[in-house]
Amino acid sequence: MGLCARSLPFPWTSALGAGVGLLAFQFMGRRRRIAIENITRALGPEIDGASARDLARRTFAQIGRSFLEFLALPRLGPRGILARVELVGYEPVLEWARRGQGAVVLTAHYGNWEMLGASMRAMGAPMQYLLPPQSNEGSDSYFDGIRERLGIPSVKIGYGMRDALRALRSGAFLGMLPDQDARRVGIHVPFFGRPASTHTGPARLAYRTRSPIAIGLIEREKGARFRSRLIATLAPNPMEDESREVERLTRAINEAIEAGVRRRPDHWYWIHRRWKTPPPTT
């Protein structure tokens, strides 16, 4: 599939990905049901005249597009990537890069999040990704290889925070996706009005290195093109107690992501069980 994605013109690759996503909608019954249930509970059974099922179907198509587009990104190269992405409001972030200041750069499983990281790297931002190792080592190595070809090395979660802290202190932009269920290691803060176990890593890393946090989301435009907006910047307060500051920042991150999802709900990863971990009973 990777060879096919790289061989076709990029708009054709995107369209093929949409078809793959629609096939997945038909055959991945469990994920389809999770998406419809999540959408219904978060947004209601009807959204702007469309049913939750219709929105879930569009979500699957969007995910399929993003996956095949990701496989094709190295063929585009930096110029080709920037020709397809408009970055809006990122001047403060690019100034951090010019000063050599490390930053925690966040997005969500929203739109083509890999395209967002690649476009920032193409603009000169010193991107690195903090990622969990995947259970399939072959796939993990293959996807990391694509990112390496884009100039984005990976820092793996699971080996402590030392490498992540070192990267930030050396001036790297550490990219993270904090919008999935954090199980028992997260803290429960609201997301669409329900307590959701949320990763505290972004806030802790920013607090301990006194690094700013940037939150951006990327949206689709016509013709396999994209527009990304910087939707929030946050600054940790080093004078505040760490636990309270981590909770404040984590709440703010969820609020920013939720606002973006409400803007283009078909762009988000509704197939994930975001509210799987219940809050503590004590």
Side-chain angles (χ1 to χ4, degrees):
M1 186 166 291
L3 178 61
C4 181
R6 293 190 298 272
S7 301
L8 295 171
F10 192 77
W12 293 16
T13 295
S14 181
L16 177 61
V20 171
L22 292 175
L23 282 175
F25 178 78
Q26 294 297 324
F27 292 104
M28 296 178 68
R30 179 171 174 269
R31 291 296 171 184
R32 182 178 65 243
R33 289 190 295 272
I34 289 171
I36 293 170
E37 178 184 348
N38 280 341
I39 291 166
T40 301
R41 294 194 64 178
L43 301 173
E46 187 172 303
I47 307 94
D48 294 332
S51 70
R53 181 182 176 88
D54 288 340
L55 181 56
R57 185 175 183 273
R58 284 156 44 200
T59 296
F60 271 79
Q62 199 291 129
I63 294 169
R65 283 186 187 274
S66 295
F67 177 63
L68 260 68
E69 289 166 350
F70 167 56
L71 300 182
L73 285 181
R75 183 172 60 84
L76 286 181
R79 288 187 180 181
I81 289 168
L82 290 178
R84 292 196 170 273
V85 182
E86 179 186 6
L87 294 170
V88 180
Y90 281 85
E91 291 81 6
V93 179
L94 296 175
E95 178 59 28
W96 299 341
R98 284 190 286 269
R99 296 201 307 256
Q101 179 178 10
V104 174
V105 178
L106 306 180
T107 189
H109 292 84
Y110 179 97
N112 191 332
W113 59 89
E114 296 278 2
M115 177 68 88
L116 174 53
S119 63
M120 291 187 66
R121 182 68 189 94
M123 284 289 289
M127 294 299 303
Q128 297 185 27
Y129 288 163
L130 185 63
L131 298 169
Q134 302 298 311
S135 56
N136 186 319
E137 293 184 5
S139 295
D140 200 29
S141 177
Y142 177 68
F143 295 145
D144 282 349
I146 293 175
R147 298 178 184 114
E148 289 277 357
R149 290 169 64 190
L150 296 168
I152 305 174
S154 298
V155 178
K156 292 299 182 180
I157 299 171
Y159 304 102
M161 296 178 67
R162 183 176 302 173
D163 289 345
L165 291 168
R166 183 182 298 115
L168 284 171
R169 288 169 177 153
S170 70
F173 280 16
L174 201 58
M176 287 177 265
L177 298 161
D179 62 326
Q180 292 197 332
D181 179 66
R183 303 183 181 179
R184 297 296 178 184
V185 301
I187 61 173
H188 282 80
V189 292
F191 191 61
F192 283 91
R194 298 163 59 192
S197 178
T198 304
H199 291 280
T200 61
R204 292 192 188 281
L205 287 167
Y207 180 88
R208 293 181 185 181
T209 60
R210 301 190 179 187
S211 299
I213 298 173
I215 308 172
L217 294 175
I218 190 167
E219 298 177 352
R220 294 189 174 277
E221 301 291 323
K222 293 181 180 179
R225 297 183 183 277
F226 305 84
R227 176 181 290 119
S228 177
R229 296 174 298 113
L230 181 69
I231 60 173
T233 58
L234 305 170
N237 181 358
M239 305 304 293
E240 183 61 84
D241 173 75
E242 180 174 349
S243 61
R244 284 196 293 269
E245 189 66 355
V246 164
E247 181 176 353
R248 179 187 72 84
L249 292 169
T250 304
R251 283 178 178 272
I253 291 165
N254 269 11
E255 289 170 1
I257 292 173
E258 178 181 331
V261 174
R262 288 186 182 278
R263 174 183 165 95
R264 295 283 294 271
D266 63 326
H267 276 38
W268 194 56
Y269 205 73
W270 294 104
I271 67 174
H272 171 69
R273 295 182 65 190
R274 180 65 182 90
W275 297 270
K276 177 179 180 180
T277 302
T281 55
T282 57

